Amino acid sequence: MKKCVSAFLALVMVFALVACGGGSTPAAETPAQPSTTSGSSAAPAAPAAADNGEGKVFNIYAWNEEFKGFFEKYYTVPEGVTVNWIIVPSKDGAYQNALDEALINQADAAADDKVDMFLAEADYILKYTNSEATQDVAPLGVTDFSNAYPYTVQAASDANGVVKGVSFQCCPAALIYRRSIAKDVLGTDDPVEVQALLNSWDKYEAVAAQAKAKGYYMTASEAADYRVFTNNATASWVDADNKLQFSPEVEMWMKQAESFAQNGYTVLSDIWADDCTNQMFKDGKTMCFFGPAWYFNFSMGNAQDAEKGCFGDWAICEGPAPYFWGGTWLLAATGSDNSSMLADVMNTFINNEDVCTKLVKDEAQFSNNQKVNNAAASDDAYASEFLGGQNPNTIFVELAKNIKFENQTIYDQLCNEKLQENYREYLKGSVDKDTALQNFYKAIHEAYPSIILPQ
Amino acid sequence: MKKKKSISYAKWGYLFILPFFLAYFVFTFVPQALTIYNSFFENYREGLTQVGPNFVGLRNYIQLFTPDANGSIDVLKYAGNTMILWVLGAVPQIVIALLLAIFFTSYRLRIRGQQFFKTVIYMPNLIMASAFSMLFFTLFSNVGPINQIIQAMGWSDVPIDFFAKTVTVRALISLMNFLMWFGNTTILLMAGIMGIDQSLFEAANLDGANAIQTFFKVTLPLLMPILVYTVITALIGGLQMFDVPQVLTGGAGTPNRTSTTLVMFLNNYLGSSKNYGMAGAISVIIFIITGVLSMFVYRSLTKKD
């Protein structure tokens, strides 16, 4: 018996040693690879063929399946190349953590394990564009940005204006309302008339009171219109001295959320939680949602549900202020061994008019190609059935002219998430306002020790 | 000459226990020493930039014990949360498990289908804690089935926000920990009781002791070594409580961080910032608390000997 036990323990030890040794194997292969890598980057950036010395595996990091769907539909992968998707949800910075880990180890990774391209959101894109982890896309062959919206190029550029990637979408965002509820509350569901009644925050709050009187909610989350304020912020979350600060716009939102909570104009919920998204069903009581094309296309599944949804009972208008929200940028990772495919993917999604047109027409996207979008704006063939026959591109083209990409920091995602999370506790009455803010500061300190907090 | 003839078997003994000590040294002792070492450094990541490691002495500890603007010391608050959550779950767990163990082992009751019940009460332990928490989160959410029942029955017009009240969140966490662990404890205690010589129970019976007297005078004293082991392992597990509250509250320990445990606090520092300095300091504090409490439990339960 004892012999068995000791034999077992010895076996465990051997396994442990083997397991430790395993990690070094891929690293040992690395030195053999750089020759392939440098060979490919010297090659001209023509549409890739598998035998041009490029890697056989194209690794893409993403936080959801949205782009994966478009990629698989509209991009023809060169023969012999396998596309490997690594998808990590973004909540609590989990996506960034996984990506950072991969990028930090990029130099030591085997050629087929290297990140080739990764997706990034506006909230933290600066962290990557301003680092060595991303590379200039001009030498790869991505040089024509004449049709892309300027803010998308600016967002993908580092401090010196070197462009590190492209966005496949432009994200002007609008107010999305339920037609039937608007008719009940405002007496009309015509986008132009509704817009006239909602074109300032004062009017918006007055309508909220009207909606409440009729038994409706104005929004399904106090943070539904958060981005309308913060993506127009006149100050960044962290100032030049690394001190945390609230921009006047964030303070305006806090004030509005307070009044909405006290008056019962809104459901108190995270925008991605079931409490909020269940309001999109037919029996939901909420009049307004906020978002760009990707929101009603990708995130309003409940409204499109065949049984419980209310397909076609929606419309959009500009709302109280123009703004953008989100957007997915494709960034070129330094050390990629698939340079020509990388360039090809990027060019396809901004300059291939055929693909961009399909994105607008079949996927309800607002593409990052002005020519395609402008054509779609005046063409009735682009009317959306989901929006009851309205052509969203007409409004988006106008809104896109006013998009600003300013005052961003690398800390934005968690600042936005943690503020909403902790402030909601105050709105629900669990804690007082001061405690909620203290808890917000604590969360920021845990995530970013170097930020100086207000006391 | 004589000396050479005697054979020492000791070396075989040492050889056989060597794998354990090697494994312990590599996987437990070295990481522990490194944790303590790391706790004296400033060592974190900001974005893609690594800050440190720079030696800062006791600064991490001082920072942990500095009161916040409201005058409360966070690490003590989270230690308190952890203890409350553990006691709420562990006390009923041990009482119920003890009761069940006695029922199952009683030669008078002779419960049928013991194997079946033992399997069933052990089942919840086989579910991953995170899956279990997700299930409870969905059940008790504002739009979940429990609230639908409450509203359908007319007990409340508005959904009860279970995750906005300290009492309900803590009750749910304790309930889940109880459900997950009472089966395991029952099996352990049953093994302990079955190890007691049956003739002692018969003797007590002959002397006219009733069930309660038998339990307090015979079963409990003889079960003490196993009970102490159970309580201490439950305590160590409880101090490391993480998965259930983390998943149930989405890592936020809502409301007002009253369900944030020590390990959740540690995890907050390991998330985006990879702050090994602060996380190390918290680990050391957890280590000290665990040591002190285990000693205390051991002493108080075994002092009669």
Side-chain angles (χ1 to χ4, degrees), chain A residues 215-395:
Chain A
Y216 297 110
Y217 290 116
M218 189 65 170
T219 52
S221 159
E222 78 289 350
D225 56 4
Y226 180 82
R227 298 290 177 162
V228 189
F229 294 101
T230 56
N231 281 355
N232 286 317
T234 49
S236 56
W237 265 116
V238 175
D239 71 8
D241 300 327
N242 222 21
K243 280 191 187 129
L244 187 76
Q245 60 180 6
F246 291 86
S247 64
E249 289 73 18
V250 169
E251 281 173 350
M252 272 166 74
W253 171 78
M254 287 165 71
K255 225 164 138 187
Q256 193 210 50
E258 207 172 5
S259 121
F260 268 47
Q262 279 163 3
N263 292 313
Y265 294 163
T266 179
V267 180
L268 297 174
S269 158
D270 185 83
I271 51 167
W272 304 112
D274 289 347
D275 298 30
C276 174
T277 53
N278 278 8
Q279 289 288 330
M280 296 169 188
F281 285 130
K282 193 161 48 188
D283 57 4
K285 292 271 168 226
T286 301
M287 179 164 138
C288 302
F289 290 85
F290 284 82
W294 61 257
Y295 186 76
F296 61 76
N297 165 48
F298 190 73
S299 304
M300 288 183 73
N302 286 353
Q304 303 180 18
D305 192 275
E307 259 175 60
K308 290 155 79 186
C310 41
F311 194 87
D313 192 22
W314 301 87
I316 62 168
C317 65
E318 291 89 338
Y323 72 108
F324 82 98
W325 178 22
T328 303
W329 276 265
L330 320 173
L331 296 178
T334 307
S336 163
D337 61 339
N338 295 68
S339 314
S340 61
M341 178 170 165
L342 193 53
D344 193 34
V345 172
M346 291 187 178
N347 279 323
T348 303
F349 281 95
I350 58 166
N351 287 328
N352 185 328
E353 286 179 20
D354 198 32
V355 169
C356 290
T357 308
K358 280 180 183 157
L359 280 178
V360 179
K361 197 162 195 170
D362 303 335
E363 309 292 344
Q365 288 288 313
F366 189 68
S367 79
N368 194 11
N369 188 308
Q370 300 194 34
K371 214 166 135 192
V372 168
N373 290 346
N374 290 341
S378 50
D379 186 346
D380 286 342
Y382 288 83
S384 158
E385 281 178 44
F386 177 71
L387 299 176
Q390 187 186 9
N391 182 353
N393 301 299
T394 322
I395 288 176

Side-chain angles (χ1 to χ4, degrees), chain B residues 153-222:
Chain B
M153 296 294 222
W155 294 331
S156 170
D157 295 334
V158 285
I160 296 172
D161 200 339
F162 287 98
F163 300 105
K165 293 183 196 70
T166 310
V167 182
T168 45
V169 176
R170 283 181 175 169
L172 282 175
I173 294 169
S174 309
L175 176 68
M176 290 169 64
N177 275 319
F178 164 73
L179 283 176
M180 282 180 66
W181 289 102
F182 85 102
N184 185 61
T185 313
T186 307
I187 308 260
L188 272 176
L189 293 178
M190 272 176 73
I193 294 175
M194 287 192 293
I196 300 170
D197 191 349
Q198 281 292 319
S199 60
L200 292 172
F201 292 114
E202 281 165 31
N205 219 357
L206 281 176
D207 288 342
N210 62 24
I212 292 172
Q213 282 171 321
T214 315
F215 172 71
F216 282 106
K217 305 280 181 189
V218 182
T219 317
L220 204 53
L222 291 168

Side-chain angles (χ1 to χ4, degrees), chain A residues 3 6 9-10 13 16 20 91-93 97 100-101 103-104 127-128 131 133 242 274-275 278 410-411 414 421 425 428 430-431 434-435 438-439 442-443 445-450 455, chain B residues 16 19-20 22-23 27 44-48 63 68-70 72 74 77-78 138 141-143 161 164-165 246 250-252 254-257 265 268-275 278:
Chain A
K3 267 188 184 171
S6 55
L9 282 173
M13 285 294 299
C20 292
K91 173 105 175 49
D92 272 334
N97 295 344
D100 292 356
E101 210 54 49
L103 291 176
I104 284 170
K127 172 169 146 188
Y128 299 106
S131 87
N242 222 21
D274 289 347
D275 298 30
N278 278 8
I410 64 170
Y411 312 109
L414 287 183
E421 193 176 289
E425 284 199 41
K428 282 187 174 180
S430 305
V431 295
D434 187 48
T435 313
Q438 290 296 333
N439 287 341
K442 282 176 194 170
H445 175 74
E446 285 159 2
Y448 304 116
S450 66
Q455 275 309 320
Chain B
F16 284 143
F20 166 76
L22 268 177
F27 296 110
Y44 63 88
R45 202 182 281 169
E46 183 162 298
L48 292 168
Q63 202 184 332
D68 67 7
N70 298 334
S72 82
D74 277 345
K77 175 178 168 181
Y78 304 141
T138 318
S141 85
N142 285 347
V143 291
D161 200 339
K165 293 183 196 70
Q246 172 82 12
T254 49
N256 193 19
R257 298 191 157 214
F265 185 44
N268 287 346
Y269 278 109
L270 286 180
S272 310
S273 56
K274 301 269 181 291
N275 195 336
M278 286 300 274

